[in-house]
Amino acid sequence: MENTVIKIENLVKRYGELIALDHLNLEIREGEVFGLLGPNGSGKTTTINCLLSLLAYDKGSIEIFGKPMTPTAYDIKQQIGIIMQDVAVFDELTVYENIDYFCGLYIPDKAKRKQYVEDAIRFVGLEDFIKFRPKKLSGGLLRRLNIACGIAHKPRLIILDEPTVAVDPQSRNKILEGIEELNRSGATIIYTSHYMEEVEQICTRIAIMDKGKKIAEGTKEELKRMIKNTETVSIEILELPEQVHEAIGKLPHVYNTEYSEGKLTVFCSGGKHNLIRILDVLQKNDLIFGRVYTELPTLNDVFLEITGKALRDKEG
Ligand code: ADP
Ligand code: MG
């Protein structure tokens, strides 16, 4: 069994009347890419801020590397790399100088630091921009600088809070690949996001949060096995007589159907060849249809089934 890197027990954080974290329990083990997935306002950043002792909490306990985390636990803090949701770099310093500054907080040796800074620059792909000031960088490049500043000292534990929000696809891929590489080189990662696709792509274990509570936890396969949905069939069909809709709803393994704006959605639980059975009903009723597709469950379906609402809207 891998070592426990983080242990959060019964964490409660209130902002006045609002309960931002409601008895949260989390255990993160060495070598994991641990995903905290939840919609905006679910408490991800609050969790990170409590974890880092940046924020006082009302109840509970936090241990990192087997020791209680406190505002003065500098031996622990030294081994953590933090990439905050809001980019925090110095406008007056160049890309190189920014990374050198943050790295210098941990690595006093000049020659070693030079090597580390160069590694970080290469790692995020900012070689062509080292003399640029942050204001001259695009959103994606600025995010990459933010990451380089957080990881240059080669920390054992790296925490990234929504590092891909408002980032172009090229930078996003670079960031996701980079996180996987950091993990391969031995770092434990905590990654928060409201993008389920990213979390599915890179996280080895995931906790889904909603309203300050952990509502589910496991690998993506385990999470998907928790729910009833195994397949969602979508069919574009301009006209669907009520009795045909009902007949489809009564097919084996179909547990729910929706028809709106010319699209029929059929939710299936188990079974094989669900699509063929549905199309067979349409054919027997001599109905024409357009695009047809079937999807395996996503983490959004997990969230939907547990909370009754969608994790995010499509463009998110
Ligand atoms: P997330 O990072 O998942 O989007 P946050 O941890 O930022 O969520 O916020 C959790 C809840 O706490 C939200 O309802 C948010 O409005 C509230 N909140 C966050 N920070 C503060 C604060 N400083 N004062 C009051 N309420 C806050
Ligand atoms: Mg946040």
Side-chain angles (χ1 to χ4, degrees), residues 113-128:
R113 187 164 77 244
K114 184 163 180 288
Q115 187 59 55
Y116 276 28
V117 170
E118 282 168 10
D119 285 351
I121 288 167
R122 209 171 331 107
F123 187 76
V124 295
L126 281 176
E127 294 95 328
D128 296 339

Side-chain angles (χ1 to χ4, degrees), residues 79-109:
Q79 303 180 67
I80 304 179
I82 313 156
I83 290 98
M84 294 297 224
Q85 185 167 1
D86 299 316
V87 173
V89 293
F90 296 106
D91 288 339
E92 300 77 15
L93 303 181
T94 64
V95 163
Y96 188 98
E97 289 163 350
N98 262 295
I99 302 169
D100 186 61
Y101 175 84
F102 286 102
C103 191
L105 300 175
Y106 305 89
I107 312 288
D109 181 84

Side-chain angles (χ1 to χ4, degrees), residues 49-57 62 64 68-78:
N49 287 340
C50 290
L51 191 60
L52 296 168
S53 281
L54 296 173
L55 198 58
Y57 41 92
I62 298 174
I64 304 185
M69 181 61 180
T70 65
T72 54
Y74 300 112
D75 53 333
I76 297 177
K77 289 184 176 181
Q78 214 164 31

Side-chain angles (χ1 to χ4, degrees), residues 14-223:
R14 290 196 188 87
Y15 294 111
E17 294 288 286
L18 179 88
I19 303 181
L21 296 177
D22 190 356
H23 296 87
L24 182 73
N25 290 287
L26 280 181
E27 194 168 331
I28 298 166
R29 297 188 283 265
E30 183 130 43
E32 288 193 304
V33 180
F34 191 88
L36 266 186
L37 175 67
N40 286 329
S42 55
K44 303 180 297 294
T45 299
T46 302
T47 304
I48 301 302
N49 287 340
C50 290
L51 191 60
L52 296 168
S53 281
L54 296 173
L55 198 58
Y57 41 92
D58 298 275
K59 219 180 120 181
S61 67
I62 298 174
E63 279 183 9
I64 304 185
F65 304 127
K67 289 185 215 159
M69 181 61 180
T70 65
T72 54
Y74 300 112
D75 53 333
I76 297 177
K77 289 184 176 181
Q78 214 164 31
Q79 303 180 67
I80 304 179
I82 313 156
I83 290 98
M84 294 297 224
Q85 185 167 1
D86 299 316
V87 173
V89 293
F90 296 106
D91 288 339
E92 300 77 15
L93 303 181
T94 64
V95 163
Y96 188 98
E97 289 163 350
N98 262 295
I99 302 169
D100 186 61
Y101 175 84
F102 286 102
C103 191
L105 300 175
Y106 305 89
I107 312 288
D109 181 84
K110 234 176 163 178
K112 186 175 175 191
R113 187 164 77 244
K114 184 163 180 288
Q115 187 59 55
Y116 276 28
V117 170
E118 282 168 10
D119 285 351
I121 288 167
R122 209 171 331 107
F123 187 76
V124 295
L126 281 176
E127 294 95 328
D128 296 339
F129 303 92
I130 55 170
K131 294 217 170 87
F132 282 51
R133 283 181 213 283
K135 283 218 159 63
K136 290 269 191 277
L137 301 176
S138 68
L141 295 179
L142 191 60
R143 284 270 163 193
R144 293 201 227 168
L145 171 61
N146 199 40
I147 292 174
C149 291
I151 57 132
H153 62 292
K154 302 192 195 283
R156 226 175 118 190
L157 169 64
I158 300 171
I159 301 172
L160 300 108
D161 194 5
E162 308 235 25
T164 59
V165 169
V167 155
D168 59 280
Q170 194 198 347
S171 281
R172 174 178 289 207
N173 287 337
K174 187 92 190 161
I175 291 169
L176 294 178
E177 283 164 19
I179 292 168
E180 291 183 302
E181 196 181 325
L182 288 167
N183 179 245
R184 277 195 298 275
S185 68
T188 302
I189 313 277
I190 301 180
Y191 183 84
T192 88
S193 182
H194 64 279
Y195 299 126
M196 56 159 185
E197 297 90 347
E198 292 184 354
V199 168
E200 283 214 51
Q201 189 183 331
I202 65 166
C203 295
T204 53
R205 217 152 55 84
I206 299 154
I208 304 183
M209 289 185 68
D210 187 39
K211 296 182 185 151
K213 287 197 170 107
K214 181 174 76 181
I215 58 166
E217 185 176 26
T219 64
K220 56 178 186 274
E221 293 81 9
E222 286 167 348
L223 287 169

